Amino acid sequence: MAEKQYVVFDINGQEFAIDINRVKTIEKITPVTRVPGAQDFIIGVINLRGEVIPVVDMRKRMDMEPREFDDESRIIIVTVNEMEVGMTADSATEVINIEDEHIDNNLDFTRNIEHSFVEGVGKADNRIVVILNLEKILRID
Amino acid sequence: MDPNQFLDIFLEESNEHLESLGNCLLELEKSPKDKETLDEIFRVSHTLKGMAGTMGFNRTAELTHEMENLLDAIRKQKINVDTGLIDLLFECLDGLQVYINTIAVEGAEGDNDTSLLVNRLQRILNPEEANKKTQSADVNEDVELNTHETGVVSKAKQQGFNCYIIQVRLDKSCMLKAARAFIIFNTLEKKGDIIKSVPSVEDIEDERFNDLIKMVLISNSSIDEVRDSLNSISEIAGVEIRETGIPDEIDNFCIEEEHGDAAGADSGQTNLTKKSITGKTVRVDIDRLDNLMNLVSELIIIKTRLEENKDNHENSNNVEALEYLERITTNLHDAVMKVRMVPIERVFNRFPRMVRDLSKDLGKEIKLSMYGEETEVDRTVIDEIGDPLIHLIRNSIDHGIEQVEARRQLGKPVEGKVTLRAFHDGNTVVIEVEDDGKGIDVGKIAKKAIELDIHSRQEVEQISSEELVGLIFSPGFSTANGVSDLSGRGVGLDVVKTKIESLGGMVEVESNPDTGTKFIIRLPLTLAIIQALLVNIGTENYAIPLNSIKEIVTMEHSGIKNVQDREVVLLRGDLLPVIRLGKELDAEDKPNKESQMTVVVVKKGDRLAGMVVDGLIGQQEIVIKSLGKYLVGIKHIAGATILGDGRVSLILDTNQFF
């Protein structure tokens, strides 16, 4: 049975997941420099050990209420099309295993979220996590 | 020996050799009698052949071999140089380039067929002559070395190697002579290098020999060792080995050369200096240099951080150490930069050939002059600037220079002139492409601008002709009536502009009707580390590259006037457009109750603009980092930098505010 590992994180009380192979690191909030003229969901750029990395505000991207960053807040650095991009999360909790056959495309659970952002819904140990489509979320088509 | 290990070197060197061959051929076309050029061509193609042979690229070797035969005939004045011959040699070069390019991609030569070229080469050489030559190889003729080979021998001798002339006679009953000969070659190559064989390797391959092979071997083994190794091969009738008598000849040769120098002939000397230059260089992978550059950048960031730390300023020891560190990092940066610098020659070199071909195709007579080829530019610029320059030169030749008849009527010299110039100007490198053609038709541009809805008729009447000419860099803008093979498709100049701006440079155009057009490209000398002024805008910090700043002035807020919906101030009697950076960048406002404002005056070419900032932080050396592909095309921002405190600060692209 094929099984993959996913990084699970929390935004607005909902659990989201991304394939662990796409995640480079998970960072605490560092000072963000606003980039004027960038798309509104990009809050700016951060310095990640000498590299300048753009950061996407996931709450804004998914039309959720804004919220101040706190100690639990994280920036998840993912690799998409050889680019490194950060995504904000209220907290990043753990890594879980989800079997491929436990991922389904029934999107009823995700009525609050733009459907194209969702790759599928994964079930593991009575939990339901929304697996995100990074390309769509970051609008790289 | 694993040849793949040397593939990169082979490719790089081959490309260099092909480039210099091309230049030499152009030279030869101009002065067909120039023996030095001919010798150079001969030498280079010989090296190329040798390299290709070693790497096992037989088609390349074969083609160069035939070229060499032809060149040799020219050298011996059996054939005269004419345009047809030069064209043929250029075609051979193209053929070789195809091979080399295929090797670069696939690791093998591919199946491009050059046998036709080889045939043509052979046909030029007298066929009887060729036959005689193969026959004479069988006759008991002594091995003759050309000057290049004697040079090799003498060098080897100086380094303590032995040089033997070896004669091997194969057994009459030997069936596969070529194969046997190869075993002999292989055996000898374990002992040293075979620098020459009679008959040649190619002839042996085709079994065009009887049973006698003569070779010149450079080796550090003794005669006996060499003989023993050969005797272990079967089907050999006899082996004869003797040391070459060349050393004496060479001694004589050297003496003669010295005499020659004294008498004023300098060809030998130039050759010598050339050799010593090549001997002192090291090939380094560009990635390693990039890595080195990155490390230097990191060092500079850390240095800045130390400088910002106040504690360090109270202790005089630390201050001294910091100043020393500052000096070292600056020197280190300069040194690394210099390592990355390459003469722009590398780009320019391909243009004479291109201009020659283009002018032939278009039936125009064009002379290309190049100045400042030795100007050094960062390696990354070299890699990127080629295509834009090709575009501009094609443009000049295709659109700029008139047909011969038109030029005659205008009383201009029939031969059109295209001039390529490179020089350093402060912290920038300037490259100019100039032609003496018909210039840009401002009227046509105005018409096109109205057609494309860029400007209205009234606007067109108001804007200056310079601004109109600048429109040629807009996307989709082409005033060429017909689409030619070369240009006029409306792509081109905007691509040129984008490319140059992505390198942090800018391009301008000056044009006068009937006297010509000049494109001026300005590029930063270094792409990685610059001096910048850090400023406050609202609650944020931004960096403005120092080389775009003309001056900094303080002014009264009340000095701002509205002229035609644009804010301007008077600076020493001249109108200066004002840009409120806070507004342009949507920065959060910082309450400012002072009546004075700080204005950073920036320049773009001859134009000036005043940028209103909320405060000055200071001048600093910054390392430019790209914002990355994800944020590509952000207006007003040229990149980002990391400050001493670890925060990211954006670098303003002042050109985009104009």
Side-chain angles (χ1 to χ4, degrees):
Chain A
M1 246 184 288
E3 196 177 67
K4 268 202 243 169
Q5 287 193 302
Y6 290 83
V7 171
V8 178
F9 52 95
D10 182 288
I11 302 170
N12 209 14
Q14 187 155 19
E15 283 192 310
F16 293 91
I18 27 181
D19 183 351
I20 198 165
N21 291 318
R22 310 291 291 271
V23 177
K24 199 184 161 216
T25 56
I26 299 175
E27 303 286 325
K28 290 199 169 177
I29 294 290
T30 56
V32 181
T33 303
R34 186 184 68 95
V35 179
Q39 278 167 305
D40 61 347
F41 59 84
I42 297 173
I43 43 172
V45 288
I46 56 163
N47 164 19
L48 181 71
R49 288 176 280 281
E51 294 289 316
V52 175
I53 311 257
V55 178
V56 169
D57 184 341
M58 292 296 282
R59 281 177 168 263
K60 199 159 215 168
R61 185 71 182 118
M62 297 196 288
D63 283 327
M64 294 171 180
E65 288 285 298
R67 174 175 175 270
E68 290 278 308
F69 294 129
D70 57 26
D71 280 354
E72 289 293 303
S73 301
R74 294 288 181 272
I75 297 174
I76 304 170
I77 313 288
V78 294
T79 314
V80 189
N81 285 5
E82 294 166 18
M83 290 184 279
E84 282 170 10
V85 181
M87 338 181 357
T88 59
D90 294 352
S91 67
T93 41
E94 62 196 306
V95 175
I96 60 168
N97 294 325
I98 305 177
E99 284 163 16
D100 282 354
E101 62 183 39
H102 288 168
I103 296 175
D104 92 48
N105 297 324
N106 179 355
L107 303 179
D108 283 351
F109 300 102
T110 62
R111 52 194 172 314
N112 298 329
I113 304 157
E114 169 77 36
H115 278 184
S116 64
F117 292 167
V118 179
E119 190 131 301
V121 176
K123 279 168 278 186
D125 310 331
N126 299 326
R127 290 163 75 175
I128 291 173
V129 295
V130 177
I131 300 170
L132 290 176
N133 179 334
L134 284 182
E135 280 77 10
K136 292 275 166 51
I137 278 275
L138 303 176
R139 203 184 277 169
I140 301 157
D141 303 310
Chain B
M1 170 183 106
D2 173 20
N4 284 332
Q5 192 184 336
F6 300 103
L7 194 60
D8 287 345
I9 302 175
F10 168 73
L11 288 173
E12 196 158 328
E13 290 193 348
S14 308
N15 279 325
E16 265 169 35
H17 285 319
L18 286 179
E19 203 177 289
S20 77
L21 267 184
N23 289 336
C24 287
L25 282 178
L26 285 172
E27 199 61 39
L28 190 68
E29 192 176 27
K30 270 185 230 149
S31 44
K33 295 264 178 301
D34 189 355
K35 195 167 170 334
E36 253 176 63
T37 318
L38 204 54
D39 284 345
E40 176 72 12
I41 298 178
F42 193 80
R43 196 183 60 75
V44 174
S45 54
H46 185 80
T47 323
L48 202 57
K49 176 177 105 177
M51 281 170 16
T54 325
M55 297 294 292
F57 297 127
N58 295 330
R59 286 159 177 260
T60 314
E62 191 194 355
L63 186 55
T64 36
H65 176 69
E66 291 302 333
M67 281 173 70
E68 211 181 303
N69 283 345
L70 182 68
L71 289 165
D72 195 42
I74 300 174
R75 216 157 59 148
K76 293 190 173 131
Q77 291 172 347
K78 287 179 194 154
I79 301 172
N80 283 328
V81 179
D82 56 28
T83 332
L85 195 84
I86 299 275
D87 280 340
L88 177 59
L89 285 172
F90 268 128
E91 277 176 53
C92 291
L93 271 197
D94 292 339
L96 289 173
Q97 191 71 57
V98 171
Y99 280 143
I100 302 293
N101 291 349
T102 326
I103 292 169
V105 181
E106 295 169 11
E109 288 168 301
D111 36 8
N112 180 33
D113 193 10
T114 48
S115 57
L116 218 64
L117 277 174
V118 171
N119 273 340
R120 282 168 64 195
L121 285 168
Q122 280 166 342
R123 220 176 306 140
I124 293 187
L125 287 165
N126 192 341
E128 281 168 48
E129 190 75 18
N131 283 342
K132 239 189 255 165
K133 225 178 173 184
T134 34
Q135 279 163 16
S136 72
D138 305 334
V139 187
N140 196 357
E141 166 208 341
D142 215 349
V143 187
E144 250 182 68
L145 296 178
N146 65 26
T147 43
H148 171 67
E149 288 152 355
T150 37
V152 172
V153 170
S154 72
K155 221 172 180 181
K157 287 232 166 198
Q158 281 165 16
Q159 287 165 5
F161 286 96
N162 297 316
C163 182
Y164 306 115
I165 293 182
I166 303 174
Q167 279 194 41
V168 179
R169 193 172 287 281
L170 295 179
D171 205 282
K172 293 259 185 249
S173 62
C174 176
M175 293 298 288
L176 293 164
K177 288 192 291 181
R180 190 58 53 195
F182 265 99
I183 296 178
I184 296 171
F185 275 100
N186 279 337
T187 315
L188 286 177
E189 293 211 308
K190 278 182 203 142
K191 296 277 169 202
D193 285 329
I194 300 174
I195 59 163
K196 176 141 188 151
S197 76
V198 178
S200 69
V201 179
E202 287 80 6
D203 285 342
I204 291 174
E205 253 176 47
D206 302 341
E207 294 218 0
R208 270 183 293 178
F209 70 114
N210 283 341
D211 42 38
L212 188 70
I213 309 167
K214 291 185 176 196
M215 290 153 287
V216 178
L217 177 77
I218 292 177
S219 160
N220 49 12
S221 314
S222 69
I223 287 198
D224 289 337
E225 280 171 339
V226 176
R227 182 174 290 124
D228 286 349
S229 67
L230 282 176
N231 281 338
S232 64
I233 303 170
S234 56
E235 290 190 307
I236 287 181
V239 176
E240 200 179 293
I241 303 179
R242 63 184 166 86
E243 283 209 52
T244 50
I246 290 171
D248 303 337
E249 292 161 30
I250 286 170
D251 286 345
N252 288 336
F253 192 73
C254 290
I255 294 164
E256 264 170 40
E257 209 168 61
E258 273 163 45
H259 281 304
D261 284 346
D266 59 356
S267 68
Q269 209 167 22
T270 44
N271 262 340
L272 282 178
T273 41
K274 258 185 201 163
K275 264 180 197 150
S276 64
I277 289 167
T278 48
K280 275 185 184 166
T281 56
V282 178
R283 273 175 206 282
V284 184
D285 195 12
I286 190 80
D287 285 343
R288 291 195 194 172
L289 287 184
D290 285 344
N291 192 17
L292 190 60
M293 193 68 179
N294 280 339
L295 289 173
V296 173
S297 313
E298 297 291 310
L299 190 65
I300 288 175
I301 292 173
I302 280 294
K303 181 210 74 185
T304 322
R305 186 157 152 196
L306 286 176
E307 280 173 345
E308 277 175 12
N309 190 339
K310 292 224 165 45
D311 298 346
N312 282 336
H313 293 285
E314 282 154 19
N315 182 329
S316 69
N317 254 342
N318 287 1
V319 171
E320 212 172 287
L322 263 179
E323 276 168 6
Y324 192 40
L325 181 67
E326 156 93 41
R327 262 209 308 283
I328 292 174
T329 47
T330 310
N331 287 346
L332 184 62
H333 174 211
D334 283 351
V336 176
M337 281 297 307
K338 283 214 184 82
V339 172
R340 292 172 53 94
M341 299 288 245
V342 189
I344 202 154
E345 207 175 5
R346 287 182 80 155
V347 184
F348 278 17
N349 271 345
R350 54 175 133 153
F351 296 140
R353 168 81 194 278
M354 191 185 94
V355 172
R356 174 187 185 270
D357 290 357
L358 271 181
S359 47
K360 278 202 161 182
D361 287 351
L362 295 168
K364 295 177 180 178
E365 279 179 42
I366 288 160
K367 183 169 181 269
L368 175 74
S369 327
M370 302 194 291
Y371 303 96
E373 294 107 308
E374 71 289 341
T375 310
E376 291 195 324
V377 213
D378 193 276
R379 171 67 196 249
T380 34
V381 174
I382 292 276
D383 292 342
E384 303 286 332
I385 197 69
D387 288 345
L389 282 179
I390 287 178
H391 249 113
L392 291 180
I393 294 175
R394 287 188 158 186
N395 231 323
S396 288
I397 295 174
D398 199 17
H399 299 318
I401 307 273
E402 310 89 334
Q403 291 292 342
V404 174
E405 204 37 54
R407 288 184 73 89
R408 202 169 280 143
Q409 280 171 9
L410 284 165
K412 285 184 178 181
V414 175
E415 197 180 49
K417 241 170 67 184
V418 175
T419 310
L420 207 53
R421 223 176 272 117
F423 54 91
H424 282 158
D425 181 17
N427 235 347
T428 57
V429 181
V430 182
I431 305 171
E432 294 176 347
V433 180
E434 189 177 3
D435 66 63
D436 67 344
K438 58 178 174 256
I440 295 171
D441 187 338
V442 181
K444 254 190 195 173
I445 290 185
K447 225 175 100 194
K448 188 88 185 178
I450 297 165
E451 233 170 77
L452 287 175
D453 231 10
I454 300 176
H455 289 294
S456 69
R457 200 167 291 275
Q458 292 94 315
E459 278 175 327
V460 164
E461 276 160 21
Q462 280 172 8
I463 43 186
S464 65
S465 61
E466 282 103 57
E467 256 179 87
L468 276 176
V469 169
L471 283 178
I472 56 169
F473 292 111
S474 322
F477 207 96
S478 172
T479 56
N481 291 328
V483 171
S484 77
D485 181 32
L486 302 168
S487 37
R489 279 161 298 197
V491 287
L493 287 178
D494 63 313
V495 178
V496 169
K497 190 178 182 196
T498 323
K499 183 96 223 171
I500 286 164
E501 283 180 351
S502 76
L503 290 171
M506 55 187 189
V507 56
E508 286 168 64
V509 59
E510 283 171 11
S511 177
N512 290 309
D514 285 336
T515 55
T517 310
K518 178 151 99 175
F519 287 94
I520 305 153
I521 299 172
R522 279 175 193 279
L523 290 167
L525 207 50
T526 151
L527 296 175
I529 299 172
I530 57 166
Q531 289 286 338
L533 177 74
L534 288 181
V535 297
N536 279 127
I537 297 164
T539 52
E540 298 168 334
N541 296 344
Y542 286 87
I544 304 176
L546 218 53
N547 62 4
S548 59
I549 297 178
K550 189 170 168 274
E551 61 181 314
I552 299 164
V553 290
T554 43
M555 284 181 178
E556 299 287 326
H557 269 297
S558 52
I560 299 184
K561 304 269 183 288
N562 270 317
V563 176
Q564 285 178 347
D565 286 340
R566 289 178 77 175
E567 290 188 312
V568 293
V569 287
L570 271 179
L571 178 67
R572 289 187 287 274
D574 285 325
L575 280 184
L576 182 74
V578 169
I579 299 156
R580 290 180 190 270
L581 280 184
K583 214 164 95 193
E584 293 284 338
L585 299 172
D586 286 328
E588 259 176 63
D589 258 343
K590 208 162 73 175
N592 192 345
K593 293 195 177 65
E594 291 164 48
S595 64
Q596 297 238 306
M597 58 175 184
T598 310
V599 177
V600 179
V601 182
V602 293
K603 55 179 187 245
K604 177 191 186 182
D606 306 331
R607 291 196 285 157
L608 298 177
M611 299 185 147
V612 182
V613 299
D614 293 328
L616 302 173
I617 300 170
Q619 181 186 332
Q620 205 177 82
E621 198 166 44
I622 61 166
V623 181
I624 302 178
K625 305 250 176 190
S626 151
L627 278 180
K629 273 192 287 181
Y630 192 56
L631 289 176
V632 82
I634 297 280
K635 224 185 155 206
H636 301 325
I637 306 294
T641 187
I642 295 168
L643 300 179
D645 62 2
R647 283 171 177 267
V648 180
S649 178
L650 299 180
I651 305 165
L652 293 181
D653 183 351
T654 54
N655 285 339
Q656 291 190 32
F657 288 93
F658 282 84

